mmCIF file of all heavy atoms in Angstrom:
data_model
loop_
_atom_site.group_PDB
_atom_site.id
_atom_site.type_symbol
_atom_site.label_atom_id
_atom_site.label_comp_id
_atom_site.label_asym_id
_atom_site.label_seq_id
_atom_site.Cartn_x
_atom_site.Cartn_y
_atom_site.Cartn_z
ATOM 1 N N MET A 1 -1.641 9.676 -0.761
ATOM 2 C CA MET A 1 -1.752 8.395 -0.096
ATOM 3 C C MET A 1 -3.187 7.858 -0.158
ATOM 4 O O MET A 1 -4.083 8.773 -0.239
ATOM 5 C CB MET A 1 -1.318 8.459 1.302
ATOM 6 C CG MET A 1 -2.105 9.280 2.298
ATOM 7 S SD MET A 1 -1.638 9.168 3.969
ATOM 8 C CE MET A 1 -2.953 10.169 4.835
ATOM 9 N N TRP A 2 -3.339 6.702 -0.100
ATOM 10 C CA TRP A 2 -4.706 6.051 0.008
ATOM 11 C C TRP A 2 -4.747 5.145 1.381
ATOM 12 O O TRP A 2 -3.825 4.561 1.669
ATOM 13 C CB TRP A 2 -4.933 5.068 -1.102
ATOM 14 C CG TRP A 2 -5.103 5.589 -2.598
ATOM 15 C CD1 TRP A 2 -6.336 5.711 -3.178
ATOM 16 C CD2 TRP A 2 -3.986 6.029 -3.448
ATOM 17 N NE1 TRP A 2 -5.961 6.373 -4.496
ATOM 18 C CE2 TRP A 2 -4.607 6.414 -4.618
ATOM 19 C CE3 TRP A 2 -2.675 5.983 -3.337
ATOM 20 C CZ2 TRP A 2 -3.918 6.928 -5.680
ATOM 21 C CZ3 TRP A 2 -1.897 6.507 -4.383
ATOM 22 C CH2 TRP A 2 -2.505 6.951 -5.566
ATOM 23 N N LEU A 3 -5.863 5.442 2.062
ATOM 24 C CA LEU A 3 -6.159 4.625 3.196
ATOM 25 C C LEU A 3 -7.351 3.706 2.794
ATOM 26 O O LEU A 3 -8.472 4.180 2.585
ATOM 27 C CB LEU A 3 -6.489 5.534 4.334
ATOM 28 C CG LEU A 3 -5.404 6.472 4.865
ATOM 29 C CD1 LEU A 3 -5.826 7.426 5.889
ATOM 30 C CD2 LEU A 3 -4.151 5.648 5.319
ATOM 31 N N PHE A 4 -7.115 2.394 2.841
ATOM 32 C CA PHE A 4 -8.318 1.538 2.297
ATOM 33 C C PHE A 4 -8.118 0.210 2.988
ATOM 34 O O PHE A 4 -7.210 -0.102 3.884
ATOM 35 C CB PHE A 4 -8.183 1.438 0.782
ATOM 36 C CG PHE A 4 -6.883 0.696 0.336
ATOM 37 C CD1 PHE A 4 -6.713 -0.558 -0.134
ATOM 38 C CD2 PHE A 4 -5.755 1.561 0.252
ATOM 39 C CE1 PHE A 4 -5.661 -1.039 -0.590
ATOM 40 C CE2 PHE A 4 -4.590 0.943 -0.225
ATOM 41 C CZ PHE A 4 -4.510 -0.319 -0.666
ATOM 42 N N HIS A 5 -9.133 -0.708 2.737
ATOM 43 C CA HIS A 5 -9.147 -2.081 3.274
ATOM 44 C C HIS A 5 -9.151 -3.030 2.161
ATOM 45 O O HIS A 5 -9.772 -2.824 1.099
ATOM 46 C CB HIS A 5 -10.337 -2.313 4.148
ATOM 47 C CG HIS A 5 -10.305 -1.550 5.361
ATOM 48 N ND1 HIS A 5 -10.580 -0.029 5.487
ATOM 49 C CD2 HIS A 5 -10.074 -1.819 6.736
ATOM 50 C CE1 HIS A 5 -10.511 0.301 6.720
ATOM 51 N NE2 HIS A 5 -10.065 -0.728 7.479
ATOM 52 N N ARG A 6 -8.550 -4.251 2.460
ATOM 53 C CA ARG A 6 -8.542 -5.395 1.540
ATOM 54 C C ARG A 6 -8.829 -6.549 2.447
ATOM 55 O O ARG A 6 -7.944 -6.801 3.381
ATOM 56 C CB ARG A 6 -7.272 -5.605 0.690
ATOM 57 C CG ARG A 6 -7.104 -4.669 -0.521
ATOM 58 C CD ARG A 6 -8.204 -5.030 -1.525
ATOM 59 N NE ARG A 6 -7.998 -4.225 -2.737
ATOM 60 C CZ ARG A 6 -8.570 -2.975 -2.995
ATOM 61 N NH1 ARG A 6 -9.323 -2.484 -2.105
ATOM 62 N NH2 ARG A 6 -8.396 -2.355 -4.118
ATOM 63 N N ASP A 7 -9.804 -7.322 2.202
ATOM 64 C CA ASP A 7 -10.254 -8.415 3.194
ATOM 65 C C ASP A 7 -10.326 -8.025 4.563
ATOM 66 O O ASP A 7 -9.812 -8.753 5.426
ATOM 67 C CB ASP A 7 -9.218 -9.550 2.882
ATOM 68 C CG ASP A 7 -9.175 -10.160 1.455
ATOM 69 O OD1 ASP A 7 -10.235 -10.055 0.806
ATOM 70 O OD2 ASP A 7 -8.157 -10.594 1.062
ATOM 71 N N GLU A 8 -10.867 -6.851 4.817
ATOM 72 C CA GLU A 8 -11.041 -6.276 6.206
ATOM 73 C C GLU A 8 -9.751 -5.891 6.853
ATOM 74 O O GLU A 8 -9.745 -5.460 7.993
ATOM 75 C CB GLU A 8 -11.886 -7.226 7.066
ATOM 76 C CG GLU A 8 -13.242 -7.700 6.514
ATOM 77 C CD GLU A 8 -14.021 -8.416 7.529
ATOM 78 O OE1 GLU A 8 -13.477 -8.789 8.603
ATOM 79 O OE2 GLU A 8 -15.225 -8.654 7.216
ATOM 80 N N GLU A 9 -8.640 -6.027 6.007
ATOM 81 C CA GLU A 9 -7.303 -5.516 6.641
ATOM 82 C C GLU A 9 -7.063 -4.191 6.139
ATOM 83 O O GLU A 9 -7.133 -3.792 5.045
ATOM 84 C CB GLU A 9 -6.204 -6.529 6.168
ATOM 85 C CG GLU A 9 -6.228 -7.898 6.685
ATOM 86 C CD GLU A 9 -5.763 -7.920 8.201
ATOM 87 O OE1 GLU A 9 -5.218 -6.924 8.670
ATOM 88 O OE2 GLU A 9 -6.151 -8.974 8.814
ATOM 89 N N PRO A 10 -6.783 -3.280 7.105
ATOM 90 C CA PRO A 10 -6.302 -1.848 6.810
ATOM 91 C C PRO A 10 -4.966 -1.835 6.068
ATOM 92 O O PRO A 10 -4.052 -2.362 6.446
ATOM 93 C CB PRO A 10 -6.314 -1.197 8.139
ATOM 94 C CG PRO A 10 -5.929 -2.190 9.089
ATOM 95 C CD PRO A 10 -6.515 -3.432 8.632
ATOM 96 N N LEU A 11 -5.033 -1.111 4.908
ATOM 97 C CA LEU A 11 -3.759 -0.844 4.183
ATOM 98 C C LEU A 11 -3.542 0.542 3.945
ATOM 99 O O LEU A 11 -4.533 1.325 3.792
ATOM 100 C CB LEU A 11 -3.743 -1.635 2.909
ATOM 101 C CG LEU A 11 -3.931 -3.144 2.984
ATOM 102 C CD1 LEU A 11 -4.071 -3.808 1.496
ATOM 103 C CD2 LEU A 11 -2.741 -3.786 3.591
ATOM 104 N N LEU A 12 -2.338 0.886 3.760
ATOM 105 C CA LEU A 12 -1.982 2.381 3.309
ATOM 106 C C LEU A 12 -0.925 2.338 2.163
ATOM 107 O O LEU A 12 0.013 1.544 2.021
ATOM 108 C CB LEU A 12 -1.236 3.039 4.473
ATOM 109 C CG LEU A 12 -0.727 4.540 4.235
ATOM 110 C CD1 LEU A 12 -0.664 5.138 5.582
ATOM 111 C CD2 LEU A 12 0.636 4.575 3.558
ATOM 112 N N LEU A 13 -1.341 3.089 1.098
ATOM 113 C CA LEU A 13 -0.388 3.110 -0.072
ATOM 114 C C LEU A 13 0.022 4.647 -0.273
ATOM 115 O O LEU A 13 -0.821 5.491 -0.298
ATOM 116 C CB LEU A 13 -1.139 2.775 -1.321
ATOM 117 C CG LEU A 13 -0.308 2.697 -2.584
ATOM 118 C CD1 LEU A 13 0.720 1.692 -2.573
ATOM 119 C CD2 LEU A 13 -1.126 2.604 -3.803
ATOM 120 N N LEU A 14 1.345 4.789 -0.292
ATOM 121 C CA LEU A 14 1.892 6.221 -0.485
ATOM 122 C C LEU A 14 2.578 6.151 -1.905
ATOM 123 O O LEU A 14 3.507 5.353 -2.234
ATOM 124 C CB LEU A 14 2.936 6.371 0.548
ATOM 125 C CG LEU A 14 3.683 7.767 0.396
ATOM 126 C CD1 LEU A 14 2.723 8.977 0.691
ATOM 127 C CD2 LEU A 14 4.899 7.871 1.295
ATOM 128 N N LEU A 15 2.353 7.186 -2.707
ATOM 129 C CA LEU A 15 2.995 7.376 -4.006
ATOM 130 C C LEU A 15 3.650 8.619 -3.993
ATOM 131 O O LEU A 15 3.091 9.699 -3.547
ATOM 132 C CB LEU A 15 1.819 7.411 -5.071
ATOM 133 C CG LEU A 15 2.347 7.686 -6.583
ATOM 134 C CD1 LEU A 15 1.252 7.094 -7.630
ATOM 135 C CD2 LEU A 15 2.278 9.276 -6.811
ATOM 136 N N ALA A 16 4.830 8.622 -4.454
ATOM 137 C CA ALA A 16 5.678 9.860 -4.370
ATOM 138 C C ALA A 16 6.544 9.813 -5.777
ATOM 139 O O ALA A 16 7.434 9.014 -5.951
ATOM 140 C CB ALA A 16 6.569 9.953 -3.205
ATOM 141 N N ALA A 17 6.284 10.790 -6.660
ATOM 142 C CA ALA A 17 7.032 11.022 -7.831
ATOM 143 C C ALA A 17 8.425 11.642 -7.382
ATOM 144 O O ALA A 17 8.282 12.831 -6.888
ATOM 145 C CB ALA A 17 6.197 11.783 -8.870
ATOM 146 N N GLN A 18 9.461 11.213 -7.961
ATOM 147 C CA GLN A 18 10.758 11.836 -7.542
ATOM 148 C C GLN A 18 11.236 12.662 -8.521
ATOM 149 O O GLN A 18 10.793 12.745 -9.811
ATOM 150 C CB GLN A 18 11.821 10.658 -7.439
ATOM 151 C CG GLN A 18 11.405 9.453 -6.482
ATOM 152 C CD GLN A 18 11.137 9.988 -5.032
ATOM 153 O OE1 GLN A 18 12.017 10.406 -4.423
ATOM 154 N NE2 GLN A 18 9.840 9.892 -4.607
ATOM 155 N N ASP A 19 12.223 13.588 -8.237
ATOM 156 C CA ASP A 19 12.773 14.541 -9.146
ATOM 157 C C ASP A 19 13.480 13.886 -10.378
ATOM 158 O O ASP A 19 13.498 14.514 -11.384
ATOM 159 C CB ASP A 19 13.808 15.467 -8.493
ATOM 160 C CG ASP A 19 13.157 16.326 -7.382
ATOM 161 O OD1 ASP A 19 11.938 16.586 -7.566
ATOM 162 O OD2 ASP A 19 13.789 16.842 -6.560
ATOM 163 N N ASP A 20 13.945 12.702 -10.318
ATOM 164 C CA ASP A 20 14.606 12.058 -11.390
ATOM 165 C C ASP A 20 13.621 11.303 -12.288
ATOM 166 O O ASP A 20 14.043 10.562 -13.257
ATOM 167 C CB ASP A 20 15.610 11.026 -10.894
ATOM 168 C CG ASP A 20 15.056 9.816 -9.992
ATOM 169 O OD1 ASP A 20 13.875 9.820 -9.937
ATOM 170 O OD2 ASP A 20 15.807 8.976 -9.624
ATOM 171 N N GLY A 21 12.358 11.526 -12.050
ATOM 172 C CA GLY A 21 11.374 10.928 -12.944
ATOM 173 C C GLY A 21 10.797 9.556 -12.414
ATOM 174 O O GLY A 21 9.776 9.180 -12.931
ATOM 175 N N THR A 22 11.401 8.918 -11.439
ATOM 176 C CA THR A 22 10.960 7.630 -10.932
ATOM 177 C C THR A 22 9.790 7.789 -10.042
ATOM 178 O O THR A 22 9.477 8.838 -9.530
ATOM 179 C CB THR A 22 12.092 6.892 -10.262
ATOM 180 O OG1 THR A 22 12.483 7.611 -9.146
ATOM 181 C CG2 THR A 22 13.214 6.567 -11.163
ATOM 182 N N VAL A 23 9.187 6.781 -9.674
ATOM 183 C CA VAL A 23 7.856 6.738 -8.819
ATOM 184 C C VAL A 23 8.167 5.764 -7.759
ATOM 185 O O VAL A 23 8.408 4.671 -8.096
ATOM 186 C CB VAL A 23 6.575 6.602 -9.595
ATOM 187 C CG1 VAL A 23 5.406 6.691 -8.564
ATOM 188 C CG2 VAL A 23 6.420 7.655 -10.701
ATOM 189 N N VAL A 24 7.980 6.205 -6.448
ATOM 190 C CA VAL A 24 8.250 5.341 -5.322
ATOM 191 C C VAL A 24 6.748 4.937 -4.800
ATOM 192 O O VAL A 24 5.895 5.901 -4.601
ATOM 193 C CB VAL A 24 8.997 5.898 -4.232
ATOM 194 C CG1 VAL A 24 8.876 5.036 -2.937
ATOM 195 C CG2 VAL A 24 10.434 6.058 -4.755
ATOM 196 N N LEU A 25 6.471 3.643 -4.720
ATOM 197 C CA LEU A 25 5.324 3.254 -3.949
ATOM 198 C C LEU A 25 5.684 2.521 -2.738
ATOM 199 O O LEU A 25 6.565 1.692 -2.613
ATOM 200 C CB LEU A 25 4.500 2.264 -4.797
ATOM 201 C CG LEU A 25 3.656 2.687 -6.018
ATOM 202 C CD1 LEU A 25 2.786 1.661 -6.587
ATOM 203 C CD2 LEU A 25 2.728 3.922 -5.534
ATOM 204 N N GLU A 26 4.963 2.844 -1.534
ATOM 205 C CA GLU A 26 5.136 2.137 -0.392
ATOM 206 C C GLU A 26 3.749 1.562 0.160
ATOM 207 O O GLU A 26 2.786 2.447 0.287
ATOM 208 C CB GLU A 26 5.793 3.048 0.590
ATOM 209 C CG GLU A 26 7.248 3.430 0.326
ATOM 210 C CD GLU A 26 7.829 4.377 1.410
ATOM 211 O OE1 GLU A 26 7.464 5.547 1.390
ATOM 212 O OE2 GLU A 26 8.674 3.870 2.227
ATOM 213 N N LEU A 27 3.698 0.419 0.432
ATOM 214 C CA LEU A 27 2.313 -0.224 0.878
ATOM 215 C C LEU A 27 2.582 -0.719 2.267
ATOM 216 O O LEU A 27 3.422 -1.522 2.622
ATOM 217 C CB LEU A 27 2.051 -1.371 -0.094
ATOM 218 C CG LEU A 27 0.761 -2.049 0.212
ATOM 219 C CD1 LEU A 27 -0.394 -1.219 0.102
ATOM 220 C CD2 LEU A 27 0.518 -3.330 -0.708
ATOM 221 N N ALA A 28 1.774 -0.196 3.200
ATOM 222 C CA ALA A 28 2.006 -0.448 4.574
ATOM 223 C C ALA A 28 0.807 -1.338 5.160
ATOM 224 O O ALA A 28 -0.364 -1.031 4.676
ATOM 225 C CB ALA A 28 2.097 0.847 5.462
ATOM 226 N N SER A 29 1.079 -2.298 6.080
ATOM 227 C CA SER A 29 0.008 -3.035 6.664
ATOM 228 C C SER A 29 0.460 -3.399 8.110
ATOM 229 O O SER A 29 1.493 -3.254 8.423
ATOM 230 C CB SER A 29 -0.216 -4.228 5.887
ATOM 231 O OG SER A 29 0.904 -5.130 5.978
ATOM 232 N N LEU A 30 -0.539 -3.857 8.898
ATOM 233 C CA LEU A 30 -0.152 -4.428 10.145
ATOM 234 C C LEU A 30 0.428 -5.686 9.940
ATOM 235 O O LEU A 30 0.347 -6.400 8.850
ATOM 236 C CB LEU A 30 -1.461 -4.557 11.029
ATOM 237 C CG LEU A 30 -2.184 -3.253 11.516
ATOM 238 C CD1 LEU A 30 -3.521 -3.496 12.064
ATOM 239 C CD2 LEU A 30 -1.266 -2.456 12.380
ATOM 240 N N PRO A 31 1.220 -6.212 10.925
ATOM 241 C CA PRO A 31 2.025 -7.387 10.696
ATOM 242 C C PRO A 31 1.121 -8.593 10.286
ATOM 243 O O PRO A 31 1.425 -9.513 9.412
ATOM 244 C CB PRO A 31 2.621 -7.811 12.109
ATOM 245 C CG PRO A 31 2.858 -6.404 12.588
ATOM 246 C CD PRO A 31 1.687 -5.628 12.213
ATOM 247 N N GLY A 32 -0.205 -8.641 10.626
ATOM 248 C CA GLY A 32 -1.152 -9.678 10.287
ATOM 249 C C GLY A 32 -1.881 -9.491 8.885
ATOM 250 O O GLY A 32 -2.475 -10.338 8.442
ATOM 251 N N GLY A 33 -1.524 -8.290 8.342
ATOM 252 C CA GLY A 33 -2.105 -7.934 6.987
ATOM 253 C C GLY A 33 -1.243 -8.104 5.780
ATOM 254 O O GLY A 33 -1.563 -7.576 4.717
ATOM 255 N N GLN A 34 -0.041 -8.674 5.904
ATOM 256 C CA GLN A 34 0.845 -8.859 4.774
ATOM 257 C C GLN A 34 0.285 -9.580 3.580
ATOM 258 O O GLN A 34 0.596 -9.387 2.546
ATOM 259 C CB GLN A 34 2.057 -9.377 5.229
ATOM 260 C CG GLN A 34 2.923 -8.415 6.188
ATOM 261 C CD GLN A 34 4.206 -8.880 6.681
ATOM 262 O OE1 GLN A 34 5.140 -9.291 5.890
ATOM 263 N NE2 GLN A 34 4.343 -9.240 7.948
ATOM 264 N N SER A 35 -0.521 -10.634 3.925
ATOM 265 C CA SER A 35 -1.145 -11.514 2.778
ATOM 266 C C SER A 35 -2.020 -10.535 1.903
ATOM 267 O O SER A 35 -1.972 -10.635 0.691
ATOM 268 C CB SER A 35 -1.911 -12.685 3.449
ATOM 269 O OG SER A 35 -2.588 -13.234 2.502
ATOM 270 N N SER A 36 -2.761 -9.787 2.495
ATOM 271 C CA SER A 36 -3.608 -8.813 1.761
ATOM 272 C C SER A 36 -2.843 -7.799 0.957
ATOM 273 O O SER A 36 -3.183 -7.541 -0.071
ATOM 274 C CB SER A 36 -4.624 -8.100 2.712
ATOM 275 O OG SER A 36 -5.456 -9.031 3.468
ATOM 276 N N ALA A 37 -1.651 -7.397 1.604
ATOM 277 C CA ALA A 37 -0.862 -6.489 0.924
ATOM 278 C C ALA A 37 -0.250 -7.093 -0.451
ATOM 279 O O ALA A 37 -0.251 -6.540 -1.497
ATOM 280 C CB ALA A 37 0.222 -5.926 1.803
ATOM 281 N N ARG A 38 0.223 -8.339 -0.247
ATOM 282 C CA ARG A 38 0.809 -9.109 -1.443
ATOM 283 C C ARG A 38 -0.304 -9.344 -2.447
ATOM 284 O O ARG A 38 0.006 -9.272 -3.661
ATOM 285 C CB ARG A 38 1.393 -10.400 -0.947
ATOM 286 C CG ARG A 38 2.666 -10.256 -0.234
ATOM 287 C CD ARG A 38 3.413 -11.520 0.009
ATOM 288 N NE ARG A 38 2.622 -12.432 0.770
ATOM 289 C CZ ARG A 38 2.923 -12.605 2.127
ATOM 290 N NH1 ARG A 38 3.720 -11.749 2.769
ATOM 291 N NH2 ARG A 38 2.192 -13.308 2.857
ATOM 292 N N GLU A 39 -1.521 -9.610 -2.006
ATOM 293 C CA GLU A 39 -2.632 -9.816 -3.120
ATOM 294 C C GLU A 39 -2.876 -8.535 -3.816
ATOM 295 O O GLU A 39 -3.069 -8.382 -5.021
ATOM 296 C CB GLU A 39 -3.899 -10.398 -2.374
ATOM 297 C CG GLU A 39 -3.779 -11.739 -1.943
ATOM 298 C CD GLU A 39 -5.071 -12.190 -1.202
ATOM 299 O OE1 GLU A 39 -6.054 -11.498 -1.240
ATOM 300 O OE2 GLU A 39 -5.073 -13.304 -0.597
ATOM 301 N N PHE A 40 -2.830 -7.427 -3.042
ATOM 302 C CA PHE A 40 -3.015 -6.139 -3.795
ATOM 303 C C PHE A 40 -2.001 -5.875 -4.710
ATOM 304 O O PHE A 40 -2.318 -5.437 -5.906
ATOM 305 C CB PHE A 40 -3.239 -4.947 -2.765
ATOM 306 C CG PHE A 40 -3.033 -3.574 -3.333
ATOM 307 C CD1 PHE A 40 -4.334 -2.983 -3.761
ATOM 308 C CD2 PHE A 40 -1.926 -2.926 -3.337
ATOM 309 C CE1 PHE A 40 -4.388 -1.706 -4.304
ATOM 310 C CE2 PHE A 40 -2.015 -1.693 -3.991
ATOM 311 C CZ PHE A 40 -3.032 -1.053 -4.488
ATOM 312 N N LEU A 41 -0.772 -6.106 -4.427
ATOM 313 C CA LEU A 41 0.371 -5.876 -5.400
ATOM 314 C C LEU A 41 0.244 -6.757 -6.610
ATOM 315 O O LEU A 41 0.610 -6.393 -7.663
ATOM 316 C CB LEU A 41 1.731 -5.991 -4.661
ATOM 317 C CG LEU A 41 2.030 -4.927 -3.658
ATOM 318 C CD1 LEU A 41 3.334 -5.234 -2.969
ATOM 319 C CD2 LEU A 41 2.244 -3.490 -4.377
#
């Protein structure tokens, strides 16, 4: 996981490789930081 900021908004990114070979990403933000999350993606 990464704990970082974008435009002063705190964000969290979790990466988990699955047994079937796929990779799951989850990007978490506070309700007011969704714009920063979308820009990151």
Side-chain angles (χ1 to χ4, degrees):
M1 74 172 181
W2 290 260
L3 300 172
F4 61 103
H5 290 79
R6 283 292 185 272
D7 300 326
E8 300 184 357
E9 290 287 344
L11 298 175
L12 179 157
L13 181 69
L14 178 73
L15 176 150
Q18 308 298 297
D19 291 339
D20 64 359
T22 60
V23 180
V24 172
L25 283 189
E26 293 178 285
L27 182 63
S29 65
L30 294 171
Q34 293 181 62
S35 175
S36 296
R38 286 192 294 269
E39 289 180 8
F40 171 81
L41 288 175

